[in-house]
Amino acid sequence: MCLSIPSKVIAIDENNYATVETLGVKRGVTLDLIPEKVEVGEYVLIHVGFAMEKIDTKAALESIEVYKQIAKQMEEGDISELEGDMGLEDLRGKNGSN
Amino acid sequence: MDLINDFRDKDLIFSLSNLIQKKSKKPLNIMEICGGHTHSIMKFGIHKLVGKNINFIHGPGCPVCVMPRSKIDAAIKLASMDNVIFTTLADMLRVPGSTSTLQKARSQGHDIRALYSPLDVIQIAKDNPDKKVIFFAIGFETTTPMTAVVVEKAIELGLKNLFFHINHVTVPAPVRALMNDENVKIDAFLGPSHVSVITGSKIYESIANDYKKPIAISGFEPVDILDGILNLVEQGENETYKVYNQYKRAVKLEGNLKAKELIDKYFKICDFEFRGLGNIPNGGVDLKDKYSYLNAKFVFDCNVESKKESKACICGEILKGRAKPYDCKIFSKVCNPQNPIGSCMVSSEGACAAYYKYAKENV
Amino acid sequence: MKNILLSHGGGGEEMNELINELIFKYFDNEILKETNDSAILKIDGEIAFSTDSYVVTPIFFSGGDIGKISVCGTINDLCMVGAKPLYLSVGFIIEEGLSFDEFEKILSSMSKIAKENDVKIVCGDTKVVPKGKCDKIFINTSGIGKIIHKIETKNIKNRAKILISGDIARHGSVIVAARDEINLESDLKSDCRSLKDIVMALFENNIYPQAMRDATRGGLSAVLNEWANFNKIEILLNEESIKVQDEVMGICELLGFEPYDLANEGTFVLAIDEKDSKKALEILKNFNENASIIGEVISDKNSRVILKNPYGVKRFLEYPKGELLPRIC
């Protein structure tokens, strides 16, 4: 449910209406539903013509980093050691698990 | 970085897939609540990347699929009135009521418009002051605040010709209804991505605690889903039942407060009849009483005689995880996306439609 | 601004004026000028004959217009059976109120494509209908071509390689993005083009595909499913080798579409004997570097198309279903 796509904000007008870009495709969306101020260059999630939330790109990059580490360790075959010593939960901790 | 392809990376997917298979030691029935997840799982073939122990149960989280015949019949009745422009989101057009669909009603000459954004209805109402414009709103918590914005704008602008037929539904109520059914075999939940963006991750804590089932809120991309599943596998092995927020880049503990305020301002909780599941207390929302003058259910006569659901259809069983689409006698032969009989076939998000599209039989 | 009126389709003086002063200006050739009730043609040997109607909205879009499509479309249909396109007929159904400027632009692009492809427009018809009875302009073209090397769908063999002449879904994406209610902006251009030069280049190099089909409405999925059903063959595709431009992916992601279901107007699918496939690819790449070998026929038993994704998981590639409606959920 709820098709929603990350898009980069490339312009914002005085009516809080933004132009956003997804893989080279631009469209207009209203920022009315986002509680905080949105800046050009930030990423938002788009659903039916609305930006519904900002995307925390730092969190996104951090999680990708965690996955890359997992991939690297899987490749090097030391994942079992990892399980024993620090465990994935710890790795994940950086990304913040509840 | 586009935040789309980053989470479809092949190497990351393979390593997570391997890790899941390595760690998964016992059978685990995971219900993905959301139809978006069902769609992604089938499209990217995630069910084939997680090993034999993991069995996906496709949940009730498709707003189009859960729409009962009576609502479609009411929609067609409203759309067939004179001097009316009937608007809804495109997905609704194909959904069958007792005898017809909105698409067929449109072909009979009724002015039925599929909107890409609910906001477009404001302009339609402004442009057609001598017509009654009806917005038939659908969707889970993700889409409810967008309708609230439209209601607010309609009030601000004093539009006298715009009416709302609200059919928004909520996630926790059907999940609880399923879990209260003792025949349901669910060990863990994959929590919705974009519903949770609005509601926040906190609403799942009581579900996790009450039923002692782990929940991983995850994004829609394959890497997200695999990470969510990995967590559920780990929790299953450790017998914990925490809420894991994998989709932290967009989901906060409390969700989108502004959106939630708007929902509270205009809507009240009500019961909702879910196609395939029956009446679910507190399963939906409707306009608050003071906005009844905008509520199409009060302004117009929406009474209709609806036919009962097909007896051959086993959508209810599929939604409870007791059957797969393949198990249904009418799957793909009688019931298919052109002629959907049951709720799970009506939208591309439904379990049966996803199976039909991507895996009519095991490849 | 001068507009086309109902009287321009009335068969009288105004109509004569429209035909003589505007249409003949662009579609000028001896056969047409004879103004007989039918064009009289002389062709030796086997001929190919095809027809198609064009009802695109908007009529002018990024990378083409309804005129260009209507000529390219019939040229391409003729080329796909191995014919060299020679003659076209054109039928216009015009909604009153269409401006002369717009009509002239359409005629001009039709004439340009016809000339470039050495095709003559030899007969035609014009009707004007009241406002609301059609959407600006509908065009039908029919065409005749001389068979150079007959190519038929029924000839696809087991183990044939499946090739595509370029990246997919550009035309469909451009059109859907331009719809008023969707209104997406991008630099994307329709792939609308004549395929004659490409097909002739293949023939000149002694490459004769088992089958060819331009992947118009219904896109790649429709063509391959038709082939699979008609020949009772199983086709396996490698998703990674099917090129899709970023903007097309963006439009698909935003609206919940799959690029395989969207139309192309100058991209075609080929079934080619394995030994010729590399050479064919080289030639195709001269015209579009995104051409590629996307799969092969793996059995002559099941009628189905299977797509193997980058993660090695297989799924069915189904026929596109129903009206293309944007998904919200």
Side-chain angles (χ1 to χ4, degrees):
Chain A
M1 108 192 85
C2 320
L3 199 70
S4 186
I5 304 299
S7 304
K8 190 175 185 174
V9 178
I10 53 174
I12 303 172
D13 75 6
E14 64 280 7
N15 299 318
N16 210 26
Y17 197 75
T19 306
V20 299
E21 188 177 314
T22 316
L23 300 174
V25 181
K26 294 191 194 79
R27 61 157 301 149
V29 295
T30 170
L31 298 176
D32 282 353
L33 274 179
I34 301 198
E36 313 88 33
K37 191 171 165 11
V38 179
E39 307 282 348
V40 168
E42 290 188 302
Y43 282 79
V44 289
L45 271 172
I46 306 303
H47 177 61
V48 295
F50 285 79
M52 62 185 290
E53 190 55 275
K54 272 207 241 191
I55 300 176
D56 182 346
T57 41
K58 201 165 146 260
L61 292 175
E62 274 171 15
S63 53
I64 290 170
E65 206 39 56
V66 171
Y67 303 135
K68 279 189 181 154
Q69 281 186 47
I70 295 175
K72 199 161 161 257
Q73 278 145 356
M74 288 294 285
E75 208 172 278
E76 288 164 4
D78 59 354
I79 201 78
S80 49
E81 193 187 325
L82 180 85
E83 274 177 281
D85 292 332
M86 52 192 288
L88 271 171
E89 283 298 329
D90 293 324
L91 257 182
R92 215 188 277 288
K94 290 184 205 162
N95 183 23
S97 133
N98 286 355
Chain B
M1 182 178 71
D2 55 31
L3 299 176
I4 299 173
N5 291 308
D6 305 311
F7 292 91
R8 293 182 186 176
D9 184 274
K10 210 161 131 178
D11 293 339
L12 302 186
I13 286 170
F14 282 145
S15 61
L16 285 168
S17 156
N18 283 336
L19 197 51
I20 288 169
Q21 298 190 45
K22 205 164 169 181
K23 292 203 159 203
S24 150
K25 306 245 161 62
K26 62 180 183 196
L28 194 68
N29 288 328
I30 299 177
M31 170 173 272
E32 80 277 7
I33 299 168
C34 173
H37 276 135
T38 309
H39 198 93
S40 282
I41 288 168
M42 299 308 291
K43 178 174 170 184
F44 295 107
I46 291 172
H47 56 306
K48 300 276 175 87
L49 293 169
V50 291
K52 291 223 159 58
N53 280 332
I54 290 169
N55 175 36
F56 286 108
I57 297 170
H58 314 299
C62 158
V64 178
C65 306
V66 302
M67 207 60 68
R69 278 188 178 172
S70 57
K71 302 262 186 196
I72 314 296
D73 295 341
I76 293 170
K77 185 173 180 182
L78 287 172
S80 308
M81 294 189 308
D82 288 338
N83 221 22
V84 156
I85 300 174
F86 183 91
T87 63
T88 187
L89 299 176
D91 308 50
M92 277 308 294
L93 260 56
R94 273 195 284 260
V95 185
S98 296
T99 54
S100 188
T101 64
L102 286 164
Q103 216 166 15
K104 282 184 197 154
R106 187 182 60 183
S107 73
Q108 287 155 4
H110 302 296
D111 193 343
I112 296 171
R113 302 185 192 181
L115 305 180
Y116 177 66
S117 169
L119 216 45
D120 298 341
V121 78
I122 296 284
Q123 196 58 42
I124 295 176
K126 279 189 193 165
D127 291 346
N128 297 278
D130 51 340
K131 297 242 168 131
K132 294 185 177 98
V133 179
I134 298 171
F135 178 54
F136 189 87
I138 57 160
F140 277 87
E141 287 92 334
T142 323
T143 323
T144 317
M146 289 71 182
T147 305
V149 170
V150 180
V151 172
E152 184 160 84
K153 285 229 173 353
I155 294 170
E156 271 171 22
L157 293 165
L159 293 173
K160 296 274 181 279
N161 63 328
L162 178 56
F163 305 94
F164 296 83
H165 194 292
I166 303 294
N167 302 281
H168 285 299
V169 280
T170 67
V171 159
V175 169
R176 282 181 177 276
L178 278 172
M179 290 310 289
N180 290 337
D181 183 330
E182 56 193 27
N183 293 316
V184 164
K185 304 263 178 288
I186 298 170
D187 303 315
F189 288 100
L190 199 62
S193 325
H194 298 124
V195 161
S196 309
V197 169
I198 302 296
T199 63
S201 58
K202 206 176 165 185
I203 62 158
Y204 302 102
E205 280 169 12
S206 63
I207 297 178
N209 283 323
D210 290 351
Y211 301 103
K212 310 225 177 321
K213 306 290 177 199
I215 302 179
I217 298 160
S218 115
F220 275 158
E221 299 300 341
V223 167
D224 293 321
I225 296 174
L226 288 170
D227 180 12
I229 292 166
L230 177 61
N231 176 274
L232 294 176
V233 167
E234 287 170 349
Q235 291 211 50
E237 296 297 327
N238 301 333
E239 296 183 2
T240 57
Y241 43 88
K242 288 185 264 184
V243 175
Y244 167 54
N245 182 5
Q246 183 278 335
Y247 202 35
K248 218 155 193 142
R249 61 184 187 269
V251 175
K252 299 177 199 142
L253 186 64
E254 301 289 345
N256 181 330
L257 293 174
K258 194 169 175 184
K260 285 191 342 191
E261 266 168 38
L262 267 167
I263 296 176
D264 289 344
K265 189 168 172 191
Y266 294 104
F267 298 124
K268 61 172 185 187
I269 298 286
C270 64
D271 296 353
F272 195 92
E273 190 204 331
F274 280 63
R275 195 170 196 158
L277 294 177
N279 185 57
I280 293 184
N282 303 328
V285 303
D286 202 351
L287 279 168
K288 283 187 173 170
D289 295 344
K290 64 174 159 179
Y291 305 112
S292 291
Y293 65 99
L294 296 171
N295 193 335
K297 292 171 197 164
F298 294 107
V299 176
F300 307 104
D301 175 15
C302 297
N303 281 326
V304 281
E305 288 273 331
S306 291
K307 279 198 213 160
K308 290 240 163 57
E309 301 292 339
S310 154
K311 281 209 179 86
C313 164
I314 60 163
C315 281
E317 295 297 294
I318 292 170
L319 289 175
K320 287 171 189 159
R322 291 202 299 245
K324 290 273 174 197
Y326 306 132
D327 301 327
C328 180
K329 284 199 186 74
I330 57 173
F331 173 71
S332 125
K333 295 170 199 93
V334 180
C335 177
N336 53 52
Q338 289 79 38
N339 177 37
I341 307 289
S343 61
C344 302
M345 189 64 91
V346 294
S347 139
S348 60
E349 300 263 314
C352 293
Y355 272 65
Y356 184 90
K357 184 167 171 57
Y358 295 123
K360 250 186 305 186
E361 51 196 286
N362 276 310
V363 185
Chain C
M1 193 171 55
K2 210 172 151 193
N3 292 333
I4 292 176
L5 306 173
L6 275 176
S7 56
H8 285 108
E13 199 175 314
E14 290 95 332
M15 185 164 166
N16 241 319
E17 190 187 302
L18 182 77
I19 291 174
N20 286 322
E21 286 176 20
L22 204 57
I23 299 182
F24 279 8
K25 190 170 116 192
Y26 287 98
F27 303 161
D28 184 22
N29 61 67
E30 290 310 311
I31 305 172
L32 185 67
K33 277 204 171 145
E34 294 292 334
T35 67
N36 289 317
D37 270 4
S38 296
I40 299 167
L41 313 169
K42 193 173 179 187
I43 303 166
D44 299 328
E46 270 188 304
I47 63 162
F49 179 37
S50 181
T51 188
D52 209 342
S53 301
Y54 300 84
V55 293
V56 62
T57 308
I59 56 175
F60 298 98
F61 50 84
S62 169
D65 58 58
I66 190 169
K68 183 176 177 188
I69 277 208
S70 70
V71 176
C72 288
T74 293
I75 288 178
N76 292 348
D77 285 345
L78 294 170
C79 292
M80 292 300 102
V81 298
K84 181 182 169 204
L86 296 173
Y87 303 111
L88 290 191
S89 76
V90 176
F92 294 110
I93 295 176
I94 302 172
E95 184 187 29
E96 67 171 327
L98 181 79
S99 76
F100 266 73
D101 285 354
E102 285 175 301
F103 189 46
E104 198 163 350
K105 256 170 94 177
I106 292 165
L107 292 172
S108 148
S109 59
M110 292 176 83
S111 139
K112 181 167 173 273
I113 296 291
K115 283 204 182 92
E116 282 170 8
N117 287 277
D118 203 13
V119 168
K120 290 190 172 69
I121 293 168
V122 290
C123 56
D125 175 56
T126 306
K127 296 280 186 310
V128 182
V129 297
K131 197 96 193 155
K133 297 287 178 193
C134 92
D135 191 3
K136 290 194 171 143
I137 183 166
F138 296 162
I139 303 178
N140 171 279
T141 57
S142 297
I144 288 176
K146 181 178 160 49
I147 296 284
I148 306 288
H149 183 101
K150 192 157 61 182
I151 304 233
E152 292 177 279
T153 299
K154 67 178 182 198
N155 293 333
I156 304 174
K157 309 253 177 344
N158 196 4
R159 315 246 63 97
K161 293 282 178 194
I162 305 294
L163 282 75
I164 185 125
S165 69
D167 54 289
I168 61 165
R170 259 187 287 144
H171 180 72
S173 300
V174 163
I175 296 302
V176 76
R179 280 198 217 158
D180 281 345
E181 73 274 19
I182 292 174
N183 200 11
L184 302 173
E185 247 181 77
S186 75
D187 298 332
L188 202 59
K189 281 195 165 51
S190 165
D191 60 330
C192 180
R193 64 162 289 162
S194 157
L195 298 172
K196 184 186 160 194
D197 48 352
I198 310 179
V199 172
M200 294 307 144
L202 289 169
F203 286 1
E204 279 155 22
N205 285 280
N206 295 318
I207 304 279
Y208 301 104
Q210 295 170 3
M212 300 190 283
R213 182 72 62 84
D214 57 337
T216 55
R217 246 180 330 168
L220 182 63
S221 353
V223 171
L224 293 177
N225 275 289
E226 271 172 41
W227 280 3
N229 288 334
F230 186 82
N231 291 305
K232 296 198 173 43
I233 49 171
E234 187 169 22
I235 299 172
L236 177 67
L237 299 175
N238 184 4
E239 190 167 26
E240 268 181 311
S241 61
I242 305 171
K243 301 288 187 295
V244 181
Q245 289 196 1
D246 268 1
E247 289 92 338
V248 170
M249 270 323 288
I251 288 166
C252 287
E253 292 293 335
L254 282 164
L255 302 174
F257 294 151
E258 286 212 273
Y260 315 113
D261 294 350
L262 296 179
N264 307 277
E265 283 296 341
T267 304
F268 67 118
V269 191
L270 306 86
I272 289 193
D273 199 286
E274 195 187 353
K275 69 175 171 31
D276 291 335
S277 58
K278 287 222 169 72
K279 177 81 184 155
L281 181 62
E282 256 173 56
I283 297 164
L284 293 176
K285 275 185 181 283
N286 291 336
F287 296 91
N288 183 335
E289 59 174 19
N290 290 321
S292 64
I293 299 176
I294 58 172
E296 66 178 325
V297 179
I298 54 166
S299 108
D300 47 11
K301 289 192 185 70
N302 304 309
S303 305
R304 57 190 195 180
V305 184
I306 295 165
L307 187 69
K308 191 173 89 181
N309 77 12
Y311 325 124
V313 180
K314 292 172 185 168
R315 62 156 164 112
F316 287 107
L317 185 67
E318 269 294 318
Y319 261 118
K321 300 285 188 259
E323 191 183 337
L324 274 179
L325 294 167
R327 266 171 60 205
I328 60 123
C329 53

